[in-house]
Amino acid sequence: MSERSALQRRIRAWLVLFIVCLVLSGLTAFPLVTELHWANSLVSHAWLQRVGDGLDRADGDYPFLLYGTDWLAFAHLVIAVFFYGVHRDPVRNVWIVEAGMIACVGVIPLALICGPVRGIPFGWSLIDMSFGVFGVIPLLVLRRMIKRLEALPA
C-alpha cells in the first residue's frame, strides 16, 4: 500500500469518527425530555433536576420552545453532511475541516458569555466547552494529515 493510500485511509477513519460523533450529538438533542428523565433516574443532582423540571414544564405548557432544540439537532446533522465533502476530496475541501475548527473554538466564548446570562452554573459551562475542546482534536489531526497528503506527489 502506498503512503498516499494509507494516509487517505487514516483520514477517512478519523473523518468517520468525527461524523459519527457529530451525528450522535445531534440525535441526542431531539429527545431531551426523555433523556433528562433517564438522567435524573440515574443521578441525583440539583441542577439536572432543575433542568428536567424546566423541560417538563416547557414540554407541557409551551412545547414550541423545544422546537429550538430540534433545530439544534438538525444543525448538527447538516454540519455532518458537509464533512462528506472532505471524504470525497480532502485536499480540496480542507476548508470544511478548518471551518469546523473555528466552530469548535467558538463554543468556548459562547459558553462563557451565554452561560452566565442564562444562569448556567460554571461547571456545566465547562462541560459545554469540552465539546469544543474534544471536537477540535480530531479536526486538528485531520488537518495535519490532509496537509501531508497535499504535499505528497500525485
Side-chain angles (χ1 to χ4, degrees):
M1 180 182 299
S2 72
E3 182 181 357
R4 173 175 283 283
S5 61
L7 193 51
Q8 287 171 326
R9 284 179 51 140
R10 285 197 311 274
I11 288 169
R12 288 195 172 109
W14 277 92
L15 191 57
V16 166
L17 171 70
F18 184 78
I19 290 171
V20 166
C21 290
L22 194 56
V23 167
L24 289 174
S25 179
L27 291 177
T28 62
F30 283 116
L32 281 182
V33 174
T34 303
E35 288 172 342
L36 260 296
H37 287 165
W38 176 75
N40 279 312
S41 72
L42 292 176
V43 177
S44 179
H45 190 278
W47 176 251
L48 277 181
Q49 186 61 50
R50 183 169 184 220
V51 172
D53 292 345
L55 282 173
D56 281 340
R57 286 185 69 192
D59 190 38
D61 298 337
Y62 311 103
F64 53 85
L65 291 174
L66 298 179
Y67 190 50
T69 60
D70 296 338
W71 280 105
L72 170 70
F74 179 71
H76 279 77
L77 301 176
V78 169
I79 292 166
V81 169
F82 281 100
F83 280 90
Y84 178 69
V86 180
H87 182 273
R88 289 184 61 196
D89 189 342
V91 172
R92 185 171 148 208
N93 293 312
V94 69
W95 68 272
I96 297 170
V97 172
E98 294 166 344
M101 291 167 61
I102 292 167
C104 286
V105 170
V107 166
I108 295 169
L110 179 78
L112 288 172
I113 294 167
C114 295
V117 168
R118 301 290 185 205
I120 307 297
F122 184 69
W124 289 91
S125 291
L126 288 175
I127 292 169
D128 291 336
M129 287 185 266
S130 74
F131 283 93
V133 172
F134 290 118
V136 81
I137 292 169
L139 295 177
L140 285 166
V141 171
L142 272 167
R143 186 179 184 282
R144 189 184 75 221
M145 288 189 295
I146 291 169
K147 290 300 182 179
R148 279 186 24 218
L149 181 66
E150 182 179 34
L152 290 176

mmCIF file of all heavy atoms in Angstrom, residues 15 19 22 75-87 93 95-97:
data_model
loop_
_atom_site.group_PDB
_atom_site.id
_atom_site.type_symbol
_atom_site.label_atom_id
_atom_site.label_comp_id
_atom_site.label_asym_id
_atom_site.label_seq_id
_atom_site.Cartn_x
_atom_site.Cartn_y
_atom_site.Cartn_z
ATOM 1 N N LEU A 15 -12.236 10.911 9.930
ATOM 2 C CA LEU A 15 -13.415 11.625 9.457
ATOM 3 C C LEU A 15 -14.696 10.900 9.866
ATOM 4 O O LEU A 15 -15.651 11.516 10.340
ATOM 5 C CB LEU A 15 -13.334 11.774 7.938
ATOM 6 C CG LEU A 15 -14.328 12.701 7.275
ATOM 7 C CD1 LEU A 15 -14.238 14.096 7.864
ATOM 8 C CD2 LEU A 15 -14.049 12.738 5.783
ATOM 9 N N ILE A 19 -17.655 12.414 12.168
ATOM 10 C CA ILE A 19 -19.028 12.486 11.663
ATOM 11 C C ILE A 19 -19.978 11.702 12.570
ATOM 12 O O ILE A 19 -21.069 12.171 12.896
ATOM 13 C CB ILE A 19 -19.108 12.000 10.202
ATOM 14 C CG1 ILE A 19 -18.416 13.010 9.275
ATOM 15 C CG2 ILE A 19 -20.548 11.776 9.772
ATOM 16 C CD1 ILE A 19 -18.255 12.531 7.838
ATOM 17 N N LEU A 22 -20.592 13.694 15.669
ATOM 18 C CA LEU A 22 -21.431 14.854 15.359
ATOM 19 C C LEU A 22 -22.893 14.441 15.186
ATOM 20 O O LEU A 22 -23.806 15.087 15.716
ATOM 21 C CB LEU A 22 -20.904 15.543 14.094
ATOM 22 C CG LEU A 22 -21.397 16.925 13.749
ATOM 23 C CD1 LEU A 22 -21.164 17.894 14.897
ATOM 24 C CD2 LEU A 22 -20.689 17.419 12.496
ATOM 25 N N ALA A 75 -29.164 21.110 12.897
ATOM 26 C CA ALA A 75 -27.917 21.783 12.518
ATOM 27 C C ALA A 75 -26.726 20.840 12.633
ATOM 28 O O ALA A 75 -25.844 20.831 11.760
ATOM 29 C CB ALA A 75 -27.700 23.018 13.384
ATOM 30 N N HIS A 76 -26.690 20.032 13.672
ATOM 31 C CA HIS A 76 -25.608 19.048 13.815
ATOM 32 C C HIS A 76 -25.608 18.078 12.632
ATOM 33 O O HIS A 76 -24.553 17.737 12.092
ATOM 34 C CB HIS A 76 -25.755 18.260 15.115
ATOM 35 C CG HIS A 76 -25.243 18.966 16.318
ATOM 36 N ND1 HIS A 76 -25.931 19.970 16.937
ATOM 37 C CD2 HIS A 76 -24.103 18.796 17.025
ATOM 38 C CE1 HIS A 76 -25.236 20.396 17.977
ATOM 39 N NE2 HIS A 76 -24.116 19.701 18.050
ATOM 40 N N LEU A 77 -26.776 17.629 12.241
ATOM 41 C CA LEU A 77 -26.882 16.677 11.134
ATOM 42 C C LEU A 77 -26.457 17.322 9.816
ATOM 43 O O LEU A 77 -25.756 16.703 9.004
ATOM 44 C CB LEU A 77 -28.304 16.120 11.043
ATOM 45 C CG LEU A 77 -28.802 15.399 12.299
ATOM 46 C CD1 LEU A 77 -30.255 14.971 12.137
ATOM 47 C CD2 LEU A 77 -27.915 14.222 12.648
ATOM 48 N N VAL A 78 -26.844 18.574 9.608
ATOM 49 C CA VAL A 78 -26.459 19.284 8.383
ATOM 50 C C VAL A 78 -24.946 19.508 8.340
ATOM 51 O O VAL A 78 -24.308 19.311 7.297
ATOM 52 C CB VAL A 78 -27.217 20.626 8.269
ATOM 53 C CG1 VAL A 78 -26.642 21.494 7.162
ATOM 54 C CG2 VAL A 78 -28.701 20.364 8.027
ATOM 55 N N ILE A 79 -24.379 19.890 9.457
ATOM 56 C CA ILE A 79 -22.930 20.091 9.512
ATOM 57 C C ILE A 79 -22.212 18.785 9.189
ATOM 58 O O ILE A 79 -21.212 18.769 8.464
ATOM 59 C CB ILE A 79 -22.501 20.654 10.881
ATOM 60 C CG1 ILE A 79 -23.035 22.081 11.046
ATOM 61 C CG2 ILE A 79 -20.989 20.627 11.040
ATOM 62 C CD1 ILE A 79 -22.970 22.614 12.465
ATOM 63 N N ALA A 80 -22.730 17.675 9.702
ATOM 64 C CA ALA A 80 -22.126 16.369 9.404
ATOM 65 C C ALA A 80 -22.134 16.090 7.901
ATOM 66 O O ALA A 80 -21.164 15.540 7.371
ATOM 67 C CB ALA A 80 -22.862 15.263 10.161
ATOM 68 N N VAL A 81 -23.189 16.494 7.213
ATOM 69 C CA VAL A 81 -23.270 16.289 5.761
ATOM 70 C C VAL A 81 -22.144 17.035 5.043
ATOM 71 O O VAL A 81 -21.559 16.517 4.093
ATOM 72 C CB VAL A 81 -24.653 16.724 5.220
ATOM 73 C CG1 VAL A 81 -24.679 16.778 3.705
ATOM 74 C CG2 VAL A 81 -25.748 15.803 5.742
ATOM 75 N N PHE A 82 -21.819 18.233 5.514
ATOM 76 C CA PHE A 82 -20.743 18.990 4.884
ATOM 77 C C PHE A 82 -19.418 18.235 4.922
ATOM 78 O O PHE A 82 -18.614 18.342 3.998
ATOM 79 C CB PHE A 82 -20.581 20.367 5.532
ATOM 80 C CG PHE A 82 -21.588 21.362 5.062
ATOM 81 C CD1 PHE A 82 -22.705 21.653 5.833
ATOM 82 C CD2 PHE A 82 -21.441 21.993 3.841
ATOM 83 C CE1 PHE A 82 -23.647 22.558 5.395
ATOM 84 C CE2 PHE A 82 -22.381 22.908 3.391
ATOM 85 C CZ PHE A 82 -23.487 23.194 4.167
ATOM 86 N N PHE A 83 -19.202 17.469 5.968
ATOM 87 C CA PHE A 83 -17.939 16.737 6.089
ATOM 88 C C PHE A 83 -17.826 15.606 5.072
ATOM 89 O O PHE A 83 -16.735 15.080 4.861
ATOM 90 C CB PHE A 83 -17.728 16.246 7.526
ATOM 91 C CG PHE A 83 -17.220 17.343 8.420
ATOM 92 C CD1 PHE A 83 -18.104 18.159 9.102
ATOM 93 C CD2 PHE A 83 -15.867 17.578 8.544
ATOM 94 C CE1 PHE A 83 -17.644 19.188 9.909
ATOM 95 C CE2 PHE A 83 -15.384 18.603 9.337
ATOM 96 C CZ PHE A 83 -16.279 19.408 10.022
ATOM 97 N N TYR A 84 -18.921 15.259 4.411
ATOM 98 C CA TYR A 84 -18.837 14.296 3.316
ATOM 99 C C TYR A 84 -17.950 14.852 2.196
ATOM 100 O O TYR A 84 -17.255 14.101 1.518
ATOM 101 C CB TYR A 84 -20.224 13.927 2.779
ATOM 102 C CG TYR A 84 -20.159 12.973 1.629
ATOM 103 C CD1 TYR A 84 -19.750 11.655 1.831
ATOM 104 C CD2 TYR A 84 -20.455 13.385 0.334
ATOM 105 C CE1 TYR A 84 -19.660 10.769 0.769
ATOM 106 C CE2 TYR A 84 -20.367 12.509 -0.728
ATOM 107 C CZ TYR A 84 -19.974 11.209 -0.507
ATOM 108 O OH TYR A 84 -19.873 10.335 -1.565
ATOM 109 N N GLY A 85 -17.941 16.167 2.043
ATOM 110 C CA GLY A 85 -17.064 16.794 1.046
ATOM 111 C C GLY A 85 -15.598 16.509 1.328
ATOM 112 O O GLY A 85 -14.803 16.326 0.402
ATOM 113 N N VAL A 86 -15.241 16.442 2.595
ATOM 114 C CA VAL A 86 -13.857 16.117 2.957
ATOM 115 C C VAL A 86 -13.575 14.666 2.580
ATOM 116 O O VAL A 86 -12.480 14.335 2.115
ATOM 117 C CB VAL A 86 -13.610 16.358 4.469
ATOM 118 C CG1 VAL A 86 -12.182 16.020 4.845
ATOM 119 C CG2 VAL A 86 -13.945 17.794 4.839
ATOM 120 N N HIS A 87 -14.542 13.807 2.754
ATOM 121 C CA HIS A 87 -14.394 12.393 2.369
ATOM 122 C C HIS A 87 -14.150 12.276 0.865
ATOM 123 O O HIS A 87 -13.298 11.512 0.432
ATOM 124 C CB HIS A 87 -15.651 11.623 2.772
ATOM 125 C CG HIS A 87 -15.582 10.166 2.466
ATOM 126 N ND1 HIS A 87 -15.957 9.648 1.249
ATOM 127 C CD2 HIS A 87 -15.174 9.126 3.215
ATOM 128 C CE1 HIS A 87 -15.784 8.345 1.275
ATOM 129 N NE2 HIS A 87 -15.309 8.004 2.448
ATOM 130 N N ASN A 93 -11.187 20.169 -0.028
ATOM 131 C CA ASN A 93 -12.200 20.571 0.943
ATOM 132 C C ASN A 93 -11.659 20.692 2.372
ATOM 133 O O ASN A 93 -12.428 20.604 3.327
ATOM 134 C CB ASN A 93 -13.371 19.593 0.895
ATOM 135 C CG ASN A 93 -14.114 19.700 -0.415
ATOM 136 O OD1 ASN A 93 -14.449 20.794 -0.861
ATOM 137 N ND2 ASN A 93 -14.362 18.570 -1.046
ATOM 138 N N TRP A 95 -10.964 23.230 3.786
ATOM 139 C CA TRP A 95 -11.614 24.400 4.375
ATOM 140 C C TRP A 95 -12.780 24.000 5.281
ATOM 141 O O TRP A 95 -13.081 24.705 6.248
ATOM 142 C CB TRP A 95 -12.083 25.377 3.297
ATOM 143 C CG TRP A 95 -13.210 24.852 2.456
ATOM 144 C CD1 TRP A 95 -13.109 24.107 1.305
ATOM 145 C CD2 TRP A 95 -14.610 24.988 2.717
ATOM 146 N NE1 TRP A 95 -14.354 23.782 0.842
ATOM 147 C CE2 TRP A 95 -15.298 24.313 1.683
ATOM 148 C CE3 TRP A 95 -15.343 25.613 3.708
ATOM 149 C CZ2 TRP A 95 -16.683 24.253 1.632
ATOM 150 C CZ3 TRP A 95 -16.731 25.553 3.647
ATOM 151 C CH2 TRP A 95 -17.380 24.883 2.610
ATOM 152 N N ILE A 96 -13.426 22.880 5.005
ATOM 153 C CA ILE A 96 -14.525 22.413 5.849
ATOM 154 C C ILE A 96 -13.982 22.024 7.225
ATOM 155 O O ILE A 96 -14.584 22.341 8.257
ATOM 156 C CB ILE A 96 -15.264 21.238 5.183
ATOM 157 C CG1 ILE A 96 -15.914 21.700 3.870
ATOM 158 C CG2 ILE A 96 -16.308 20.641 6.129
ATOM 159 C CD1 ILE A 96 -16.452 20.569 3.012
ATOM 160 N N VAL A 97 -12.846 21.351 7.234
ATOM 161 C CA VAL A 97 -12.199 20.984 8.495
ATOM 162 C C VAL A 97 -11.809 22.251 9.255
ATOM 163 O O VAL A 97 -12.032 22.358 10.469
ATOM 164 C CB VAL A 97 -10.963 20.087 8.238
ATOM 165 C CG1 VAL A 97 -10.178 19.853 9.517
ATOM 166 C CG2 VAL A 97 -11.394 18.774 7.596
#
